[in-house]
Amino acid sequence: MTEKMLAQSKGSTPPWTRLDTIAISATLIASIVVHFWRLGVPNVLVYDEHIYVEEAYKYLRGEAFFEVHPPLAILLIATCAKLFGCHSWSWRISSAVTGTALIPVTYLLARRMFYSRGAAMLGALLVLCEGMFLEYSRLALINIVYLTLGAAAYLALFRFMQCRNLIDRRRSLAWLGVLLGLGLGSKFAIPGITWLLAVGFLVSSSIPVSFARGPTHEGPGSRDLGYILGAVALVSGVSGLFFLLTFLPNYLSGWWSGISSLTSYYHRVLLANSFYPNPLSHQDSPWWSWPLLLRPYKLWQQPDDLGMYLAIWGGGNPAIWWAALVAIVLCGVRALRGDGATWSFLSIGYLMYLAMWTPIHRAVYLYSYM
């Protein structure tokens, strides 16, 4: 039996070796270099940076404002501005840190999902070389925050699914709740898909463990429906708590009072999203065009001293995007064949994240495909 088959049969990952340490260290160092090198360039506000940086300084000045997205990512920008001063690079530090963290998280997640160091290294390198991830990790924008938190939540989910020690499973559930809650506090709507996907696979992975065997003293195998309900309740409670904590500055500043402020806020968010933008932006693109990378857009442009234009294009790496589209089709085939939870997770997750955009009639943008 090969190492991979042995790991799969035991529901664990390959044993950690020096090769893993070298691989994750090398990718982490490379990630730090590409995310922090000349972070302050360009020394101007790019794309929606003017929105989030301005709102971060409103937090620092104690001024109330309305933003359609929950505040976690903006609070991170405000914290870095408070610590390091008013500089273009200080506004972007939080994005660079979270974008850097996404690389080792991807390595660990792929290692668990595929029981393979090679797949882990490939996954980390693909994310490292992906232009869209890199752009949003080097700007004071909010997208990379919920992406990294989502990946970390999936890592906690697969750790729970593969672990058989009851204490470790509870720890994984607690971390899953924390990460899902922080994700919900960093972006409107999209982290809700993350929550549904994680909890859905939490339940589906627990059912065969709980009901396939009779009562034993081996831990999770002896649990019944109460174990599943308890796991969902733990994740829901912890995620709800940390979601509410992201709004704590609004209460401490005196802008909000009581739960009615939160419900009123989300009512305004739904109204704002139903009308924004009007008229439609010339840079929007339909969701079905995103996998083919048909329409990248300009984040920023400026003429230099020679009359040439410097520009930041919001687009992905075509080689990665097009190859990934083929890979997800093959992934769906393996999921239909019943080859394992990993293939089902990838296929269902991909479809859920894309399907959420089909009923939306407001302008949508390519970066949502991340």
Side-chain angles (χ1 to χ4, degrees):
M1 181 179 290
T2 65
E3 181 182 39
K4 178 178 178 180
M5 294 174 61
L6 181 62
Q8 288 176 315
S9 66
K10 293 182 178 180
S12 61
T13 55
W16 192 270
T17 66
R18 183 178 298 179
L19 183 61
D20 289 296
T21 302
I22 294 173
I24 201 170
S25 299
T27 53
L28 179 59
I29 292 171
S31 181
I32 292 173
V33 172
V34 300
H35 287 101
F36 283 91
W37 181 69
R38 300 186 68 194
L39 183 60
V41 178
N43 189 24
V44 293
L45 294 171
V46 174
Y47 195 53
D48 283 346
E49 280 190 322
H50 71 94
I51 298 175
Y52 302 122
V53 172
E54 179 182 347
E55 291 173 349
Y57 278 101
K58 286 182 178 180
Y59 264 118
L60 295 177
R61 294 192 296 265
E63 299 177 12
F65 64 92
F66 171 74
E67 166 58 48
V68 295
H69 297 293
L72 177 61
I74 300 169
L75 290 170
L76 294 177
I77 297 172
T79 301
C80 292
K82 179 70 174 179
L83 292 175
F84 303 109
C86 183
H87 311 284
S88 58
W89 57 266
S90 67
W91 308 330
R92 298 165 182 164
I93 286 178
S94 59
S95 293
V97 170
T98 51
T100 297
L102 181 59
I103 308 304
V105 168
T106 300
Y107 182 93
L108 297 173
L109 176 58
R111 188 175 180 271
R112 280 194 173 273
M113 292 178 70
F114 298 100
Y115 307 94
S116 167
R117 297 185 185 92
M121 190 66 184
L122 178 61
L125 289 176
L126 288 176
V127 174
L128 182 63
C129 296
E130 166 47 34
M132 188 78 84
F133 285 179
L134 181 61
E135 290 161 2
Y136 281 84
S137 298
R138 290 177 54 86
L139 297 173
L141 302 173
I142 66 176
N143 308 77
I144 198 64
V145 175
Y146 71 82
L147 287 170
T148 301
L149 289 170
Y154 296 146
L155 176 58
L157 171 66
F158 272 83
R159 187 177 187 275
F160 167 82
M161 292 167 60
Q162 295 170 355
C163 183
R164 288 296 172 262
N165 181 278
L166 187 58
I167 295 178
D168 287 341
R169 286 168 71 88
R170 288 173 177 168
R171 289 173 180 168
S172 298
L173 287 176
W175 276 112
L176 179 60
V178 170
L179 295 164
L180 290 175
L182 293 177
L184 290 170
S186 61
K187 179 77 171 180
F188 174 67
I190 297 176
I193 300 296
T194 308
W195 195 96
L196 291 173
L197 184 63
V199 173
F201 271 82
L202 164 64
V203 172
S204 65
S205 67
S206 299
I207 289 175
V209 173
S210 301
F211 295 106
R213 294 182 291 177
T216 68
H217 298 286
E218 298 177 1
S222 65
R223 296 302 186 259
D224 55 8
L225 181 61
Y227 177 83
I228 300 175
L229 295 178
V232 173
L234 175 60
V235 172
S236 300
V238 173
S239 62
L241 172 62
F242 277 82
F243 167 69
L244 291 175
L245 286 176
T246 61
F247 290 96
L248 186 60
N250 294 20
Y251 289 98
L252 294 178
S253 300
W255 311 340
W256 287 14
S257 59
I259 196 67
S260 61
S261 296
L262 182 63
T263 56
S264 298
Y265 163 76
Y266 268 97
H267 178 68
R268 292 183 64 188
V269 168
L270 291 173
L271 289 177
N273 275 277
S274 64
F275 292 106
Y276 172 83
N278 188 19
L280 296 181
S281 169
H282 69 282
Q283 295 214 89
D284 68 314
S285 56
W287 62 268
W288 52 263
S289 70
W290 296 341
L292 299 176
L293 197 60
L294 295 182
R295 190 174 185 179
Y297 59 94
K298 285 184 293 186
L299 289 169
W300 171 84
Q301 70 174 20
Q302 178 178 300
D304 63 10
D305 296 335
L306 301 177
M308 303 292 288
Y309 270 95
L310 307 175
I312 299 177
W313 283 92
N317 185 327
I320 295 176
W321 283 42
W322 297 338
L325 183 58
V326 176
I328 201 68
V329 173
L330 298 176
C331 176
V333 173
R334 298 200 63 169
L336 292 174
R337 288 193 331 207
D339 286 351
T342 292
W343 308 104
S344 299
F345 177 84
L346 290 171
S347 303
I348 295 173
Y350 180 85
L351 293 175
M352 287 179 63
Y353 278 112
L354 205 54
M356 70 167 288
W357 299 101
T358 57
I360 294 177
H361 300 291
R362 51 155 283 188
V364 289
Y365 303 97
L366 180 66
Y367 65 76
S368 300
Y369 187 60
M370 289 194 295

